[in-house]
Amino acid sequence: MGNNVITPREHVKLRKEFPEYKTTQTLKLKSDVVIIGSGAGGAVAAAELSRNGWQVVLLEEGSYFTPAEFTNDEFLSYARLYRDGGNITVENFSVGILQGRSLGGSTTVNWQTCLYPSLSTTQEWRDEFGLDGYDENEISPYIKEVSLRVGAHQVPSKLINENNSVLARGGRILDMAPEILKNSSRNCIGLGRCGLGCPINAKQSMFLTYIPDALKNGARVISNMRVTKIKDGKKKQVYATFEADPYTKYSENKSIFENIEIEAPVVILSAGAIEGPALLQRSDLGNEWVGRNLKLHPTAAILARYPKKINMHTGPPQSIVIKENKTKKETKDYGFWLEVAPARPASVFSSIPLYGADSFKIANDYLYMHAGIALVRDGADGETQGRVEWEWGKRKVHYTIGPKDGKNLLRGLSKLAQVQTEAGAIELIFPFTEKASPYPVQKKNNYNWILNQDLAPGRMRIFSAHPHGSIQAAASPRQGAIAPNFELYGHSNIFVMDASWYPTGLGVNPQIATMSSVLRASRLLAKEKTERL
Ligand SMILES: Cc1cc2nc3c(=O)[nH]c(=O)nc-3n(C[C@H](O)[C@H](O)[C@H](O)COP(=O)(O)OP(=O)(O)OC[C@H]3O[C@@H](n4cnc5c(N)ncnc54)[C@H](O)[C@@H]3O)c2cc1C
Ligand code: SF4
C-alpha cells in the first residue's frame, strides 16, 4: 500500500493485495495491534509501536482531508470534521461538546494551545490514584519530545490578534498577570482557520506529524471505518463498518469494503472520552468505571462589543491566558482560566441567548465582537456527575455542572466581564438565558450579580472542547477502569490511550498532556513485544 492512508478510493488496491477478497464485502486482516481512533492518543501510539517493529493497523471513523480540501464554510466543515456536526448535546441540553471526527481527530480542528497540567494535578494523580510517572522530572522528556514534534512555541507578538489583546489589556489593568500561550504550529501566518482545518499545513495536527511517522514505519492507516465492537479473547477481533463522508461521491463504490474485521493480540482504544466508553460498553468490556466521572472543563463565553473592529476570526485562536490560581493558591487549581474563543459568525449566531432584532444586530456587528471565555477544571466536588452510557443502541452523554465547579465558573465570568469592561467594551452579551438582551456597559459596572446566577440546566449556555477522564486510570480497579499502564482491568492486552484516562480534572489544555502520556505508555508497551504478542 505504500505510505498512503487507505481511504475508500484505495480499497480497490486492497482488493488487489488480497485477491481472496476480490468480491466479498468484508476484508479480514491480521496484525500485532489494532488502534482505534487517530487523534492525539491513537496517532502517537501508532507511530511509537510501528517504530518499534510492531505491525500496526490504525482505524479512523472520519475521513482523510488534505489541507486543500479545508474550507471557510462553517456548515460544511462542522459536518465533515466534527462529531455530531459540532454539537454533541448532553441529555439535559445544558452543554454542547466539540469533538473532532476526521483523520487526526480533534487535533485537526483544535485551537493549537499547548499547556501541561500543573504540579498539584499530577501530585493528585500520584497521591490519590497511585499513578506514578507524571512528576515534572519524569514526564518532561516526553513533553519535550512531543512539543518538538508539533512545533510548540510561544506565540510571537506580531501574531497576537485583537481578540487576545483585549484579554491581555484588561487583565493587565486588573493586575491579573496575563500570560502568553504556546501554540503547535510551524510558519503560521494567522489565517485563523484552525477550527475548520488549517489550509496551509501550519498547525501541526496529527495527520501532519505522528500519522505520517506511523505510515513511514509501515503502519496501515485506514480512514472511514467505524469500529462497532471489540471481542476479547487470546486473539482479539475488531469489527468495523464503512462510514461515508456525506459530501464525497465515491465513484469506486463497488470496490469499497463495507466491513473490516481484524484479528490481533493487542487492541488500543483511542476513540476519545465520549466514544471510547460507549464502544467498551457495547462490547461488554470493562468494569463499572467505564463511562463514569466524565469531565469537560465546562466553559462559558461572554461576547463583548467594542467600538473598533476586533476581527476575532483572524489570527491564531488563543495566545493569552489568565489563570486565577496564579494569585489564589488556596483554590488548589480548581479556579478558573480566562481565554478567548475564535467564534465564527455561524457559531456566534447560533449560541447567543438572544432573539429577534437583538440577535440579527449581533450577527451584523460580528466584526466588532470579542468572545472571552471562562473555563474551569471540573471535579472540585469529587467525582463529577458526568457520564457516558451506551443505551438502547445509542451513545448518551449525561452532565450537570457540580456546585463548586459552577461557582468557580461564575467567578470566572464575573472577572471576565470586568476584564472586558476595563478593555473598553460598550456592551456585553451574557450566556445566561435570563439576561436575554445586550447589557450596556457603564463606567462603574459591578458584576457581583453574576456570582448568584442559577446553574440549573437551561439557565446558562455551557460548552466544552475538552472531554476527558471517562475511562479513568488508578492503581486499583476499585478506583478506576484501567491500570497505571493503561490496560483495561479484567482484559489483558486491551489498552486505552487517549484523553479518557485522567482520574481528576486535568487542568488547562489536554493535547500535549494526552500526547506525552500516551507516548510514555506506548513506549513502555513497545518494550514488552515478546510477552504481549
Ligand atoms: C474545537 C476544539 C478546540 C480544541 N482546542 C485545544 C487546544 O487549543 N489545546 C489543547 O490542548 N486541546 C484542544 N482541544 C482538545 C484536544 O484536541 C483533545 O483533548 C485531544 O485531541 C484528545 O485526544 P484523543 O485522542 O482523546 O481524542 P481525539 O483527538 O478526539 O481523537 C479520537 C478519534 O477517534 C475517532 N473515533 C471515535 N470513535 C471511533 C470508532 N468507533 N471507530 C473509529 N474511530 C473512532 C474519532 O473520529 C477521532 O478522530 C480542542 C478540541 C476541539 C474539538
Ligand atoms: S492561524 Fe491560520 S495559519 Fe495559523 S495554524 Fe491556524 S489556520 Fe493555520
Side-chain angles (χ1 to χ4, degrees):
M1 288 301 303
N3 283 348
N4 293 331
V5 176
I6 303 171
T7 63
R9 296 214 160 91
E10 309 278 326
H11 286 207
V12 71
K13 291 189 199 153
L14 271 179
R15 284 188 190 269
K16 282 192 190 131
E17 190 183 338
F18 300 99
E20 65 272 34
Y21 298 112
K22 210 167 164 191
T23 53
T24 61
Q25 286 309 318
T26 302
L27 173 68
K28 296 190 180 183
L29 296 174
K30 288 188 179 173
S31 172
D32 292 341
V33 57
V34 184
I35 300 175
I36 303 163
S38 66
V44 171
E48 185 58 21
L49 290 172
S50 56
R51 192 177 68 82
N52 283 283
W54 290 50
Q55 254 183 2
V56 172
V57 174
L58 174 62
L59 294 176
E60 167 55 51
E61 171 180 338
S63 303
Y64 170 43
F65 299 104
T66 62
E69 290 169 287
F70 294 138
T71 124
N72 214 358
D73 180 326
E74 275 184 87
F75 295 101
L76 186 65
S77 305
Y78 292 135
R80 295 184 116 177
L81 304 176
Y82 285 78
R83 185 162 298 280
D84 294 6
N87 194 10
I88 300 171
T89 309
V90 311
E91 291 298 305
N92 63 15
F93 303 114
S94 65
V95 190
I97 304 170
L98 293 157
Q99 277 271 269
R101 194 194 72 130
S102 71
L103 198 78
S106 297
T107 71
T108 301
V109 289
N110 79 10
W111 301 343
Q112 55 159 325
T113 298
C114 299
L115 283 166
Y116 192 77
S118 67
L119 211 57
S120 64
T121 306
T122 55
Q123 278 167 0
E124 238 168 49
W125 298 343
R126 186 192 60 208
D127 299 343
E128 292 173 29
F129 297 89
L131 300 170
D132 291 322
Y134 301 98
D135 282 351
E136 206 175 344
N137 61 335
E138 291 167 291
I139 195 71
S140 65
Y142 299 98
I143 298 175
K144 274 194 194 135
E145 189 174 331
V146 297
S147 299
L148 200 66
R149 188 69 189 94
V150 298
H153 64 283
Q154 186 163 314
V155 182
S157 50
K158 65 174 193 265
L159 283 181
I160 298 178
N161 67 4
E162 190 53 19
N163 207 25
N164 283 278
S165 298
V166 161
L167 193 69
R169 275 204 306 278
R172 273 197 295 269
I173 294 170
L174 292 173
D175 211 10
M176 293 184 75
E179 293 170 47
I180 301 181
L181 286 166
K182 286 184 178 169
N183 274 186
S184 49
S185 58
R186 290 198 167 86
N187 305 319
C188 167
I189 54 168
L191 289 175
R193 298 244 304 256
C194 296
L196 308 179
C198 175
I200 60 159
N201 277 355
K203 190 176 71 175
Q204 299 295 291
S205 317
M206 293 300 101
F207 75 84
L208 287 175
T209 52
Y210 284 99
I211 292 173
D213 293 352
L215 286 165
K216 247 184 258 155
N217 302 333
R220 282 183 197 274
V221 178
I222 310 180
S223 69
N224 299 86
M225 279 291 166
R226 176 173 189 265
V227 174
T228 51
K229 199 174 171 192
I230 305 165
K231 194 167 151 210
D232 197 9
K234 195 159 167 38
K235 291 273 166 89
K236 322 301 174 206
Q237 299 287 337
V238 171
Y239 303 91
T241 57
F242 174 63
E243 277 283 313
D245 169 56
Y247 295 95
T248 301
K249 269 195 185 160
Y250 298 101
S251 47
E252 316 75 2
N253 260 348
K254 283 195 192 118
S255 66
I256 292 174
F257 286 106
E258 277 175 24
N259 309 296
I260 292 189
E261 284 177 31
I262 306 169
E263 184 185 279
V266 178
V267 171
I268 296 179
L269 177 59
S270 303
I274 300 293
E275 292 302 312
L279 175 52
L280 287 179
Q281 288 168 0
R282 68 177 177 260
S283 303
D284 210 10
L285 296 173
N287 67 18
E288 76 280 4
W289 278 101
V290 170
R292 251 168 83 176
N293 202 14
L294 169 72
K295 294 163 285 288
L296 295 179
H297 283 172
T299 303
I302 304 178
L303 281 182
R305 189 203 304 274
Y306 285 84
K308 282 207 221 140
K309 280 191 182 161
I310 302 289
N311 290 332
M312 68 168 137
H313 59 294
T314 63
Q318 296 185 315
S319 43
I320 299 291
V321 64
I322 294 175
K323 300 181 198 158
E324 183 188 36
N325 51 34
K326 260 281 206 241
T327 46
K328 283 201 165 185
K329 284 273 183 283
E330 73 274 15
T331 58
K332 204 186 162 198
D333 279 345
Y334 278 91
F336 57 77
W337 296 274
L338 305 183
E339 290 181 328
V340 304
R344 293 198 148 248
S347 42
V348 167
F349 200 48
S350 61
S351 64
I352 46 174
L354 305 181
Y355 311 98
D358 276 343
S359 135
F360 279 99
K361 186 155 179 4
I362 299 302
N364 279 333
D365 288 352
Y366 168 76
L367 297 178
Y368 296 83
M369 309 302 294
H370 165 262
I373 57 174
L375 74 158
V376 295
R377 176 187 179 214
D378 42 348
D381 296 291
E383 188 183 332
T384 69
Q385 296 171 45
R387 64 186 199 282
V388 178
E389 276 174 7
W390 180 255
E391 265 180 353
W392 301 104
K394 202 174 172 297
R395 176 263 290 142
K396 293 187 179 167
V397 184
H398 300 267
Y399 191 88
T400 304
I401 194 163
K404 280 192 197 148
D405 300 334
K407 289 285 173 212
N408 285 339
L409 188 55
L410 292 177
R411 240 189 17 261
L413 287 170
S414 159
K415 267 286 177 224
L416 175 60
Q418 286 174 40
V419 168
Q420 290 170 315
T421 299
E422 291 296 343
I426 50 176
E427 207 168 61
L428 301 180
I429 292 115
F430 290 104
F432 310 117
T433 42
E434 278 176 10
K435 286 263 173 227
S437 54
Y439 190 91
V441 172
Q442 315 288 334
K443 266 210 172 124
K444 288 271 172 238
N445 270 115
N446 177 329
Y447 296 108
N448 286 343
W449 58 267
I450 292 179
L451 304 176
N452 301 319
Q453 285 301 295
D454 194 348
L455 293 165
R459 300 299 175 93
M460 174 164 64
R461 283 182 184 272
I462 299 179
F463 73 95
S464 158
H466 298 169
H468 59 282
S470 51
I471 315 176
Q472 74 181 37
S476 150
R478 285 190 305 278
Q479 266 190 307
I482 53 174
N485 67 349
F486 295 174
E487 196 166 11
L488 193 63
Y489 280 120
H491 302 276
S492 66
N493 276 356
I494 298 183
F495 293 82
V496 177
M497 294 196 190
D498 59 17
S500 307
W501 75 265
Y502 306 105
T504 62
L506 173 73
V508 208
N509 300 65
Q511 68 163 350
I512 292 288
T514 301
M515 283 185 249
S516 51
S517 56
V518 168
L519 179 62
R520 176 178 173 276
S522 54
R523 190 159 287 169
L524 292 172
L525 175 62
K527 288 194 189 131
E528 298 171 0
K529 190 172 176 208
T530 332
E531 304 95 281
R532 296 284 179 178
L533 302 182

